[in-house]
Amino acid sequence: AENAAFAYAAATALGVGHDQAVAGLMTFPGLAHRMETVAQTERVRFVNDSKATNADAARQALSSYERVFWIAGGRAKDGGIDSLGDLFGRIE
């Protein structure tokens, strides 16, 4: 939502009309590997967020869900994931 709001503001500041800016946002498919739905069942959505390679990026994705099963891997970054502690209650 923050990215969409910024894109809209930037487009309209450059003279793009409201309807055209909204149409552009509505047709943008999103970035590959960034909160990308890869499958869905009745109750479970599988989301690829492999672009979240640090705690700050992971925070954005994890904050989007009230309840999440988080599968994480890779090499630990400086600072680790301690800064995500306030979100651990929604991670199963």
Side-chain angles (χ1 to χ4, degrees):
E2 290 172 355
N3 287 341
F6 180 80
Y8 176 85
T12 56
L14 292 170
V16 175
H18 168 78
D19 291 343
Q20 189 176 4
V22 169
L25 287 171
M26 297 306 291
T27 60
F28 180 67
L31 300 174
H33 312 290
R34 183 67 177 133
M35 293 190 62
E36 175 183 31
T37 299
V38 293
Q40 187 159 348
T41 67
E42 287 183 27
R43 297 181 52 217
V44 179
R45 181 180 352 172
F46 297 87
V47 178
N48 175 3
D49 195 41
S50 58
K51 288 286 188 188
T53 59
N54 59 59
D56 290 335
R59 170 173 292 285
Q60 297 304 314
L62 294 171
S63 296
S64 299
Y65 302 100
E66 290 183 27
R67 186 170 156 233
V68 63
F69 289 88
W70 187 25
I71 301 170
R75 295 181 184 207
K77 302 285 190 272
D78 289 340
I81 60 170
D82 291 342
S83 63
L84 301 175
D86 60 309
L87 297 174
F88 290 167
R90 58 175 77 189
I91 299 170
E92 299 196 34

